[in-house]
Coordinates of all heavy atoms in Angstrom, one line a residue:
M1 N 7.4 -3.5 -54.3 CA 8.7 -3.1 -53.9 C 9.1 -3.7 -52.6 O 10.2 -4.3 -52.4 CB 8.9 -1.6 -53.9 CG 10.3 -1.1 -53.7 SD 11.5 -1.6 -54.9 CE 13.0 -1.2 -54.2
I2 N 8.2 -3.6 -51.6 CA 8.6 -4.1 -50.3 C 8.8 -5.6 -50.2 O 9.6 -6.1 -49.4 CB 7.4 -3.6 -49.3 CG1 7.9 -3.8 -47.7 CG2 6.1 -4.4 -49.5 CD1 8.5 -2.5 -47.3
R3 N 8.2 -6.2 -51.2 CA 8.3 -7.7 -51.3 C 9.8 -8.1 -51.7 O 10.4 -9.0 -51.1 CB 7.4 -8.2 -52.4 CG 6.4 -9.2 -51.7 CD 5.6 -9.8 -52.8 NE 4.2 -10.0 -52.3 CZ 3.3 -10.5 -53.0 NH1 3.4 -10.9 -54.3 NH2 2.0 -10.8 -52.5
I4 N 10.3 -7.3 -52.6 CA 11.7 -7.6 -53.0 C 12.7 -7.3 -51.8 O 13.5 -8.2 -51.6 CB 12.1 -6.6 -54.2 CG1 11.2 -7.0 -55.4 CG2 13.6 -6.7 -54.5 CD1 11.2 -6.0 -56.5
V5 N 12.5 -6.3 -51.1 CA 13.3 -6.0 -49.9 C 13.1 -7.2 -48.9 O 14.1 -7.6 -48.4 CB 12.9 -4.6 -49.3 CG1 13.7 -4.4 -48.0 CG2 13.2 -3.5 -50.3
F6 N 11.9 -7.5 -48.7 CA 11.6 -8.6 -47.7 C 12.4 -9.9 -48.1 O 13.0 -10.5 -47.3 CB 10.1 -8.8 -47.7 CG 9.8 -10.1 -46.9 CD1 9.8 -10.1 -45.5 CD2 9.4 -11.3 -47.5 CE1 9.5 -11.2 -44.7 CE2 9.0 -12.4 -46.7 CZ 9.1 -12.3 -45.4
W7 N 12.3 -10.3 -49.4 CA 13.0 -11.5 -49.9 C 14.5 -11.3 -49.9 O 15.2 -12.3 -49.5 CB 12.5 -11.8 -51.3 CG 11.1 -12.5 -51.2 CD1 10.0 -12.0 -51.7 CD2 10.9 -13.9 -50.7 NE1 9.0 -12.9 -51.4 CE2 9.5 -14.1 -50.9 CE3 11.7 -14.8 -50.2 CZ2 8.9 -15.2 -50.5 CZ3 11.0 -16.1 -49.7 CH2 9.6 -16.2 -50.0
A8 N 15.0 -10.2 -50.2 CA 16.4 -9.9 -50.1 C 16.9 -10.1 -48.6 O 17.9 -10.7 -48.4 CB 16.7 -8.6 -50.6
A9 N 16.1 -9.5 -47.7 CA 16.5 -9.6 -46.3 C 16.4 -11.1 -45.9 O 17.3 -11.6 -45.1 CB 15.5 -8.8 -45.5
L10 N 15.4 -11.9 -46.3 CA 15.2 -13.2 -45.9 C 16.4 -14.0 -46.4 O 16.9 -14.8 -45.7 CB 13.9 -13.7 -46.5 CG 13.4 -15.0 -45.8 CD1 12.9 -14.7 -44.4 CD2 12.3 -15.7 -46.6
I11 N 16.8 -13.8 -47.7 CA 17.9 -14.6 -48.2 C 19.2 -14.2 -47.5 O 20.0 -15.1 -47.2 CB 18.0 -14.3 -49.8 CG1 16.9 -14.9 -50.5 CG2 19.3 -14.7 -50.3 CD1 16.6 -14.3 -51.9
Y12 N 19.3 -12.9 -47.2 CA 20.5 -12.5 -46.5 C 20.6 -13.2 -45.1 O 21.7 -13.7 -44.7 CB 20.5 -11.0 -46.4 CG 21.7 -10.5 -45.5 CD1 23.0 -10.4 -46.1 CD2 21.5 -10.1 -44.2 CE1 24.0 -9.9 -45.3 CE2 22.6 -9.7 -43.4 CZ 23.9 -9.5 -44.0 OH 24.9 -9.1 -43.3
I13 N 19.5 -13.2 -44.4 CA 19.4 -13.8 -43.1 C 19.7 -15.3 -43.2 O 20.5 -15.9 -42.4 CB 18.1 -13.5 -42.4 CG1 18.0 -12.0 -42.0 CG2 17.9 -14.5 -41.2 CD1 16.7 -11.5 -41.7
A14 N 19.1 -16.0 -44.2 CA 19.4 -17.4 -44.4 C 20.8 -17.7 -44.7 O 21.4 -18.6 -44.1 CB 18.5 -17.9 -45.5
F15 N 21.4 -16.8 -45.5 CA 22.8 -17.0 -45.8 C 23.7 -16.8 -44.7 O 24.7 -17.6 -44.4 CB 23.2 -16.0 -46.9 CG 24.6 -16.2 -47.4 CD1 25.0 -17.3 -48.2 CD2 25.5 -15.2 -47.1 CE1 26.3 -17.4 -48.6 CE2 26.9 -15.3 -47.6 CZ 27.3 -16.4 -48.3
W16 N 23.4 -15.8 -43.8 CA 24.1 -15.5 -42.6 C 24.0 -16.6 -41.6 O 25.0 -17.0 -41.0 CB 23.6 -14.2 -42.1 CG 24.2 -13.8 -40.8 CD1 25.4 -13.1 -40.6 CD2 23.6 -14.0 -39.4 NE1 25.6 -13.0 -39.2 CE2 24.5 -13.5 -38.5 CE3 22.5 -14.5 -39.0 CZ2 24.4 -13.5 -37.2 CZ3 22.2 -14.5 -37.6 CH2 23.1 -14.1 -36.7
A17 N 22.8 -17.1 -41.5 CA 22.5 -18.2 -40.5 C 23.3 -19.5 -40.9 O 23.9 -20.2 -40.2 CB 21.0 -18.5 -40.4
W18 N 23.3 -19.7 -42.3 CA 24.0 -20.9 -42.9 C 25.5 -20.8 -42.6 O 26.1 -21.7 -42.2 CB 23.7 -21.0 -44.3 CG 24.5 -22.0 -45.0 CD1 24.3 -23.4 -44.9 CD2 25.5 -21.9 -45.9 NE1 25.2 -24.0 -45.7 CE2 26.0 -23.1 -46.4 CE3 26.2 -20.8 -46.5 CZ2 27.0 -23.3 -47.3 CZ3 27.2 -20.9 -47.4 CH2 27.6 -22.2 -47.8
R19 N 26.0 -19.6 -42.7 CA 27.5 -19.3 -42.5 C 27.8 -19.6 -41.0 O 28.8 -20.1 -40.7 CB 27.9 -18.0 -43.0 CG 28.2 -17.9 -44.5 CD 28.8 -16.6 -44.8 NE 30.1 -16.4 -44.2 CZ 30.9 -15.4 -44.4 NH1 30.5 -14.4 -45.2 NH2 32.0 -15.2 -43.8
R20 N 26.9 -19.0 -40.2 CA 27.1 -19.1 -38.7 C 27.1 -20.6 -38.3 O 27.8 -21.0 -37.4 CB 26.1 -18.3 -38.0 CG 26.6 -17.3 -37.1 CD 25.5 -16.6 -36.3 NE 25.7 -17.0 -34.9 CZ 26.5 -16.3 -34.1 NH1 27.1 -15.2 -34.5 NH2 26.7 -16.7 -32.8
F21 N 26.1 -21.3 -39.0 CA 25.9 -22.7 -38.6 C 27.2 -23.5 -39.0 O 27.5 -24.5 -38.4 CB 24.6 -23.2 -39.3 CG 24.2 -24.5 -38.7 CD1 23.5 -24.6 -37.5 CD2 24.3 -25.7 -39.4 CE1 23.1 -25.8 -37.0 CE2 23.9 -26.9 -38.9 CZ 23.3 -26.9 -37.7
K22 N 27.7 -23.2 -40.1 CA 28.9 -23.9 -40.7 C 30.1 -23.6 -40.0 O 31.1 -24.4 -39.9 CB 29.0 -23.5 -42.2 CG 28.6 -24.6 -43.2 CD 29.0 -24.2 -44.5 CE 30.2 -25.0 -45.0 NZ 30.6 -24.7 -46.3
A23 N 30.2 -22.4 -39.4 CA 31.5 -21.9 -38.8 C 32.0 -22.7 -37.6 O 33.2 -23.0 -37.6 CB 31.4 -20.5 -38.4
P24 N 31.2 -23.1 -36.7 CA 31.7 -23.8 -35.5 C 32.4 -25.1 -35.9 O 33.4 -25.4 -35.3 CB 30.4 -24.1 -34.7 CG 29.5 -23.1 -35.1 CD 29.7 -22.9 -36.5
A25 N 32.0 -25.9 -36.9 CA 32.7 -27.1 -37.3 C 34.0 -26.8 -37.7 O 35.0 -27.5 -37.5 CB 31.9 -27.8 -38.3
R26 N 34.1 -25.7 -38.5 CA 35.4 -25.3 -39.1 C 36.4 -24.8 -38.0 O 37.6 -25.1 -38.0 CB 35.3 -24.2 -40.2 CG 36.4 -24.2 -41.2 CD 36.2 -23.2 -42.2 NE 35.9 -21.8 -41.7 CZ 35.4 -20.9 -42.4 NH1 35.1 -21.0 -43.7 NH2 35.1 -19.7 -41.9
Q27 N 35.8 -24.0 -37.1 CA 36.6 -23.5 -35.9 C 37.1 -24.5 -35.0 O 38.2 -24.4 -34.6 CB 35.7 -22.4 -35.2 CG 35.7 -21.1 -35.9 CD 34.8 -20.1 -35.1 OE1 34.1 -20.4 -34.2 NE2 35.0 -18.8 -35.5
S28 N 36.3 -25.5 -34.7 CA 36.7 -26.6 -33.8 C 37.8 -27.4 -34.4 O 38.6 -28.0 -33.7 CB 35.6 -27.4 -33.4 OG 35.1 -28.2 -34.5
A29 N 37.9 -27.5 -35.7 CA 38.9 -28.3 -36.4 C 40.2 -27.5 -36.5 O 41.3 -28.1 -36.4 CB 38.4 -28.8 -37.8
K30 N 40.1 -26.2 -36.7 CA 41.3 -25.4 -37.0 C 42.2 -25.2 -35.8 O 43.4 -25.5 -36.0 CB 40.7 -24.0 -37.5 CG 41.7 -23.4 -38.5 CD 41.2 -22.2 -39.1 CE 42.2 -21.5 -40.0 NZ 41.8 -20.2 -40.5
P31 N 41.7 -24.9 -34.6 CA 42.6 -24.7 -33.5 C 43.4 -25.9 -33.2 O 44.5 -25.8 -32.8 CB 41.7 -24.3 -32.3 CG 40.5 -23.8 -32.9 CD 40.3 -24.6 -34.2
R32 N 42.8 -27.1 -33.4 CA 43.6 -28.3 -33.0 C 44.7 -28.5 -34.0 O 45.8 -28.8 -33.6 CB 42.6 -29.6 -33.2 CG 42.3 -30.1 -31.8 CD 41.5 -31.4 -32.0 NE 42.4 -32.5 -32.0 CZ 42.0 -33.8 -32.5 NH1 40.8 -34.0 -32.8 NH2 42.8 -34.7 -32.5
A33 N 44.5 -28.2 -35.3 CA 45.6 -28.3 -36.3 C 46.6 -27.3 -36.0 O 47.8 -27.6 -36.1 CB 45.0 -28.1 -37.7
Q34 N 46.2 -26.1 -35.6 CA 47.2 -25.1 -35.2 C 48.0 -25.4 -34.0 O 49.2 -25.2 -34.0 CB 46.4 -23.7 -35.1 CG 46.2 -23.0 -36.3 CD 45.6 -21.7 -36.1 OE1 45.0 -21.4 -35.0 NE2 45.5 -20.8 -37.1
A35 N 47.2 -26.0 -33.0 CA 48.0 -26.4 -31.8 C 49.0 -27.5 -32.1 O 50.1 -27.4 -31.5 CB 46.9 -26.9 -30.8
D36 N 48.7 -28.4 -32.9 CA 49.7 -29.4 -33.3 C 50.9 -28.8 -34.0 O 52.0 -29.3 -33.8 CB 49.0 -30.5 -34.2 CG 48.0 -31.3 -33.4 OD1 48.1 -31.3 -32.2 OD2 47.1 -32.0 -34.0
E37 N 50.5 -27.9 -34.9 CA 51.6 -27.3 -35.7 C 52.5 -26.5 -34.8 O 53.7 -26.5 -35.0 CB 50.9 -26.4 -36.7 CG 51.5 -26.6 -38.1 CD 50.7 -25.8 -39.1 OE1 51.0 -24.6 -39.2 OE2 49.8 -26.3 -39.7
H38 N 51.9 -25.7 -33.9 CA 52.7 -24.7 -33.1 C 53.1 -25.3 -31.8 O 53.8 -24.5 -31.1 CB 51.9 -23.4 -32.9 CG 51.7 -22.8 -34.3 ND1 52.7 -22.1 -34.9 CD2 50.5 -22.6 -35.0 CE1 52.2 -21.6 -36.0 NE2 50.9 -21.9 -36.1
A39 N 52.7 -26.5 -31.4 CA 53.1 -27.1 -30.1 C 54.7 -27.2 -30.2 O 55.3 -27.9 -31.0 CB 52.5 -28.4 -29.9
P40 N 55.3 -26.6 -29.2 CA 56.8 -26.6 -29.2 C 57.2 -28.0 -28.8 O 56.9 -28.6 -27.8 CB 57.2 -25.7 -28.1 CG 56.0 -25.4 -27.2 CD 54.8 -25.8 -28.1
A41 N 58.1 -28.6 -29.7 CA 58.6 -29.9 -29.5 C 59.7 -29.8 -28.6 O 60.6 -29.0 -28.6 CB 59.0 -30.5 -30.8
M42 N 59.7 -30.8 -27.5 CA 60.7 -30.8 -26.5 C 61.7 -31.9 -26.8 O 61.3 -33.0 -27.3 CB 60.0 -31.1 -25.1 CG 59.1 -29.9 -24.7 SD 59.9 -28.3 -24.4 CE 60.7 -28.7 -22.9
V43 N 62.9 -31.6 -26.7 CA 64.0 -32.6 -26.9 C 64.9 -32.6 -25.7 O 64.9 -31.7 -24.9 CB 64.8 -32.3 -28.2 CG1 64.0 -32.4 -29.4 CG2 65.4 -30.9 -28.1
R44 N 65.6 -33.7 -25.6 CA 66.5 -33.9 -24.4 C 68.0 -33.8 -24.8 O 68.4 -34.4 -25.8 CB 66.2 -35.3 -23.8 CG 66.8 -35.4 -22.4 CD 66.4 -36.8 -21.7 NE 67.0 -37.9 -22.5 CZ 68.3 -38.3 -22.2 NH1 69.0 -37.8 -21.3 NH2 68.7 -39.4 -22.9
C45 N 68.7 -33.0 -24.1 CA 70.1 -32.9 -24.3 C 70.8 -34.3 -24.1 O 70.6 -34.9 -23.0 CB 70.8 -31.9 -23.4 SG 72.6 -31.7 -23.6
A46 N 71.5 -34.8 -25.1 CA 72.1 -36.1 -25.1 C 73.3 -36.0 -24.1 O 73.8 -37.1 -23.7 CB 72.6 -36.5 -26.4
N47 N 73.7 -34.9 -23.7 CA 74.9 -34.8 -22.8 C 74.5 -34.7 -21.3 O 74.9 -35.4 -20.5 CB 75.8 -33.6 -23.2 CG 77.0 -33.5 -22.4 OD1 77.0 -33.2 -21.2 ND2 78.2 -33.8 -23.0
C48 N 73.6 -33.7 -21.0 CA 73.3 -33.5 -19.5 C 71.8 -33.9 -19.2 O 71.4 -34.0 -18.1 CB 73.4 -32.0 -19.2 SG 72.3 -30.9 -20.1
G49 N 71.0 -34.1 -20.3 CA 69.7 -34.7 -20.1 C 68.6 -33.7 -19.8 O 67.5 -33.9 -19.6
V50 N 69.0 -32.4 -19.9 CA 68.0 -31.3 -19.7 C 67.0 -31.3 -20.9 O 67.4 -31.5 -22.1 CB 68.8 -30.0 -19.5 CG1 69.3 -29.4 -20.8 CG2 67.7 -28.9 -19.0
H51 N 65.9 -31.0 -20.7 CA 64.8 -30.8 -21.7 C 64.7 -29.4 -22.1 O 64.7 -28.5 -21.3 CB 63.5 -31.3 -21.2 CG 63.4 -32.8 -21.1 ND1 63.9 -33.5 -20.0 CD2 62.9 -33.7 -22.0 CE1 63.7 -34.8 -20.2 NE2 63.2 -34.9 -21.4
L52 N 64.7 -29.2 -23.4 CA 64.6 -27.9 -23.9 C 63.8 -27.8 -25.3 O 63.5 -28.9 -25.8 CB 65.9 -27.2 -24.2 CG 66.8 -27.8 -25.3 CD1 67.9 -26.7 -25.7 CD2 67.5 -29.1 -24.8
L53 N 63.4 -26.7 -25.7 CA 62.7 -26.6 -26.9 C 63.5 -27.0 -28.1 O 64.7 -26.6 -28.2 CB 62.2 -25.1 -27.1 CG 61.1 -24.6 -26.1 CD1 60.8 -23.2 -26.4 CD2 59.8 -25.4 -26.4
Q54 N 62.9 -27.7 -29.0 CA 63.7 -28.2 -30.2 C 64.2 -27.0 -31.0 O 65.3 -27.1 -31.6 CB 62.8 -29.0 -31.0 CG 63.5 -29.8 -32.1 CD 62.6 -30.7 -32.9 OE1 61.6 -31.2 -32.4 NE2 62.9 -30.9 -34.2
T55 N 63.4 -25.9 -31.0 CA 63.9 -24.7 -31.7 C 65.1 -24.1 -31.2 O 65.8 -23.4 -31.9 CB 62.7 -23.7 -31.8 OG1 62.3 -23.4 -30.4 CG2 61.6 -24.2 -32.6
R56 N 65.3 -24.4 -29.8 CA 66.6 -23.8 -29.2 C 67.7 -24.8 -29.0 O 68.8 -24.5 -28.6 CB 66.2 -23.2 -27.9 CG 65.1 -22.1 -28.0 CD 65.0 -21.4 -26.7 NE 66.2 -20.7 -26.3 CZ 66.3 -19.9 -25.2 NH1 65.2 -19.7 -24.4 NH2 67.4 -19.3 -24.9
A57 N 67.4 -26.0 -29.5 CA 68.4 -27.1 -29.3 C 69.3 -27.1 -30.6 O 69.1 -26.7 -31.6 CB 67.8 -28.4 -29.1
L58 N 70.5 -27.7 -30.3 CA 71.5 -27.9 -31.4 C 71.5 -29.5 -31.7 O 71.5 -30.3 -30.8 CB 72.9 -27.5 -31.0 CG 72.9 -26.0 -30.4 CD1 74.2 -25.9 -29.6 CD2 72.9 -25.1 -31.6
Q59 N 71.4 -29.7 -33.0 CA 71.4 -31.1 -33.4 C 72.7 -31.6 -34.1 O 73.3 -30.8 -34.8 CB 70.2 -31.4 -34.4 CG 70.0 -32.8 -34.7 CD 68.9 -33.1 -35.7 OE1 68.6 -32.2 -36.5 NE2 68.2 -34.2 -35.6
Q60 N 73.1 -32.8 -33.7 CA 74.3 -33.4 -34.4 C 74.1 -34.9 -34.3 O 73.9 -35.5 -33.2 CB 75.6 -33.0 -33.6 CG 76.8 -33.5 -34.4 CD 78.1 -33.0 -33.7 OE1 78.5 -31.9 -33.9 NE2 78.6 -33.8 -32.8
D61 N 74.2 -35.5 -35.4 CA 74.1 -37.1 -35.6 C 72.9 -37.5 -34.9 O 72.9 -38.6 -34.2 CB 75.4 -37.7 -34.9 CG 76.7 -37.2 -35.6 OD1 76.7 -36.9 -36.8 OD2 77.7 -37.1 -34.9
G62 N 71.8 -36.8 -35.1 CA 70.5 -37.4 -34.6 C 70.3 -37.1 -33.1 O 69.2 -37.4 -32.5
D63 N 71.3 -36.5 -32.4 CA 71.1 -36.2 -31.0 C 71.0 -34.7 -30.8 O 71.5 -33.9 -31.7 CB 72.4 -36.7 -30.2 CG 72.5 -38.1 -30.1 OD1 71.4 -38.8 -29.8 OD2 73.6 -38.7 -30.3
W64 N 70.3 -34.4 -29.7 CA 70.1 -32.9 -29.5 C 70.9 -32.5 -28.3 O 71.2 -33.3 -27.4 CB 68.6 -32.7 -29.2 CG 67.7 -32.9 -30.4 CD1 67.1 -34.1 -30.6 CD2 67.4 -32.0 -31.4 NE1 66.4 -34.0 -31.9 CE2 66.5 -32.7 -32.3 CE3 67.7 -30.7 -31.6 CZ2 66.0 -32.1 -33.5 CZ3 67.2 -30.1 -32.8 CH2 66.4 -30.7 -33.7
Y65 N 71.4 -31.2 -28.3 CA 72.2 -30.7 -27.3 C 71.7 -29.3 -26.9 O 71.2 -28.5 -27.7 CB 73.6 -30.6 -27.7 CG 74.2 -31.9 -28.0 CD1 74.2 -32.4 -29.4 CD2 74.8 -32.8 -27.1 CE1 74.7 -33.6 -29.7 CE2 75.2 -34.0 -27.5 CZ 75.2 -34.5 -28.8 OH 75.7 -35.7 -29.1
C66 N 71.9 -29.0 -25.6 CA 71.3 -27.7 -25.1 C 72.2 -26.5 -25.4 O 71.8 -25.5 -25.6 CB 71.1 -27.8 -23.6 SG 72.5 -28.2 -22.6
T67 N 73.6 -26.8 -25.4 CA 74.6 -25.8 -25.6 C 75.6 -26.3 -26.5 O 75.8 -27.5 -26.8 CB 75.2 -25.3 -24.3 OG1 75.7 -26.4 -23.7 CG2 74.2 -24.6 -23.4
Q68 N 76.4 -25.4 -27.1 CA 77.5 -25.7 -28.0 C 78.6 -26.6 -27.3 O 79.1 -27.6 -27.8 CB 78.2 -24.4 -28.5 CG 79.2 -24.6 -29.6 CD 78.5 -25.2 -30.9 OE1 77.4 -24.9 -31.2 NE2 79.3 -26.0 -31.6
P69 N 79.0 -26.2 -26.0 CA 79.9 -27.1 -25.3 C 79.5 -28.5 -25.2 O 80.3 -29.6 -25.3 CB 80.1 -26.5 -23.9 CG 79.7 -25.0 -24.1 CD 78.7 -25.1 -25.2
H70 N 78.2 -28.8 -24.9 CA 77.6 -30.1 -24.8 C 77.6 -30.8 -26.1 O 77.8 -32.0 -26.2 CB 76.2 -30.0 -24.2 CG 76.2 -29.9 -22.7 ND1 75.1 -29.8 -21.9 CD2 77.3 -29.7 -21.8 CE1 75.4 -29.6 -20.6 NE2 76.8 -29.6 -20.6
L71 N 77.4 -30.0 -27.2 CA 77.4 -30.6 -28.5 C 78.8 -31.1 -28.8 O 79.0 -32.1 -29.4 CB 77.0 -29.5 -29.5 CG 76.9 -30.0 -31.0 CD1 75.7 -29.4 -31.6 CD2 78.1 -29.7 -31.8
Q72 N 79.8 -30.3 -28.4 CA 81.2 -30.7 -28.7 C 81.6 -31.9 -27.9 O 82.4 -32.7 -28.3 CB 82.1 -29.5 -28.4 CG 82.1 -28.5 -29.6 CD 82.6 -27.1 -29.2 OE1 83.0 -26.9 -28.1 NE2 82.7 -26.2 -30.2
E73 N 81.1 -31.9 -26.6 CA 81.5 -33.1 -25.8 C 80.8 -34.4 -26.3 O 81.3 -35.5 -26.1 CB 80.9 -32.8 -24.3 CG 81.8 -32.0 -23.5 CD 81.4 -31.9 -22.1 OE1 80.9 -32.8 -21.5 OE2 81.4 -30.7 -21.6
G74 N 79.6 -34.2 -26.9 CA 78.9 -35.3 -27.4 C 78.0 -36.1 -26.4 O 77.9 -35.6 -25.3
P75 N 77.4 -37.1 -26.9 CA 76.4 -37.8 -26.0 C 77.1 -38.5 -24.8 O 78.3 -39.0 -24.9 CB 75.8 -38.8 -26.9 CG 76.7 -39.1 -28.0 CD 77.5 -37.7 -28.2
R76 N 76.4 -38.5 -23.6 CA 77.0 -39.0 -22.4 C 75.9 -39.8 -21.8 O 74.8 -39.4 -21.7 CB 77.4 -38.0 -21.6 CG 78.2 -38.4 -20.3 CD 78.2 -37.3 -19.2 NE 79.1 -36.2 -19.6 CZ 79.3 -35.2 -19.0 NH1 78.6 -35.0 -17.8 NH2 80.0 -34.2 -19.3
P77 N 76.1 -41.0 -21.4 CA 75.1 -41.9 -20.7 C 74.7 -41.2 -19.4 O 75.6 -40.6 -18.7 CB 75.8 -43.2 -20.4 CG 77.2 -43.0 -20.6 CD 77.4 -41.8 -21.5
R78 N 73.4 -41.2 -19.1 CA 72.9 -40.5 -17.9 C 73.4 -41.2 -16.7 O 73.4 -42.4 -16.5 CB 71.4 -40.5 -17.9 CG 70.8 -39.7 -19.1 CD 69.3 -39.5 -19.0 NE 69.0 -38.5 -18.0 CZ 67.8 -38.1 -17.8 NH1 66.8 -38.6 -18.4 NH2 67.5 -37.1 -17.0
A79 N 73.8 -40.3 -15.7 CA 74.4 -40.8 -14.4 C 73.2 -41.1 -13.5 O 72.8 -40.2 -12.8 CB 75.4 -39.8 -13.9
R80 N 72.6 -42.3 -13.6 CA 71.5 -42.6 -12.7 C 71.7 -44.0 -12.2 O 71.8 -44.9 -13.0 CB 70.2 -42.4 -13.4 CG 69.6 -41.1 -13.0 CD 68.1 -41.1 -13.4 NE 67.6 -39.6 -13.4 CZ 66.4 -39.3 -13.8 NH1 65.6 -40.2 -14.2 NH2 66.0 -38.0 -13.8
Ligands
ZN101 ZN1 73.2 -30.2 -22.1

């Protein structure tokens, strides 16, 4: 009887060690994919040139704008 328990424990430990050994490779690949996915994309307002998050920007005709008034004014060449 003790032999069966011994082998069951051995198999369990081997399985656990195998999972632990496999996990780091999967963990190192996953955060990078998540970082790429959740990295906030920055866009530049075509009117005033301010940089803001794409999620908060307004898009029109392929240009991004920070606010509704700037969107209505439209793109403006940067004064530099
Ligand atoms: Zn703007």
Side-chain angles (χ1 to χ4, degrees):
M1 185 61 190
I2 194 91
R3 242 184 215 180
I4 293 162
V5 174
F6 172 75
W7 281 109
L10 197 73
I11 288 160
Y12 177 78
I13 288 163
F15 183 70
W16 176 82
W18 173 72
R19 274 189 67 177
R20 238 188 111 90
F21 195 76
K22 255 187 100 177
R26 201 176 58 191
Q27 275 178 349
S28 66
K30 213 176 176 186
R32 253 186 88 194
Q34 276 182 343
D36 290 341
E37 228 175 83
H38 295 287
M42 298 296 285
V43 292
R44 194 174 67 82
C45 176
N47 187 287
C48 66
V50 74
H51 285 82
L52 69 158
L53 292 172
Q54 192 178 330
T55 52
R56 298 191 64 174
L58 305 162
Q59 191 183 25
Q60 186 176 278
D61 302 329
D63 289 319
W64 294 92
Y65 300 93
C66 61
T67 54
Q68 189 67 33
H70 281 182
L71 184 143
Q72 282 163 357
E73 276 183 47
R76 186 194 293 177
R78 295 188 79 173
R80 262 194 195 177

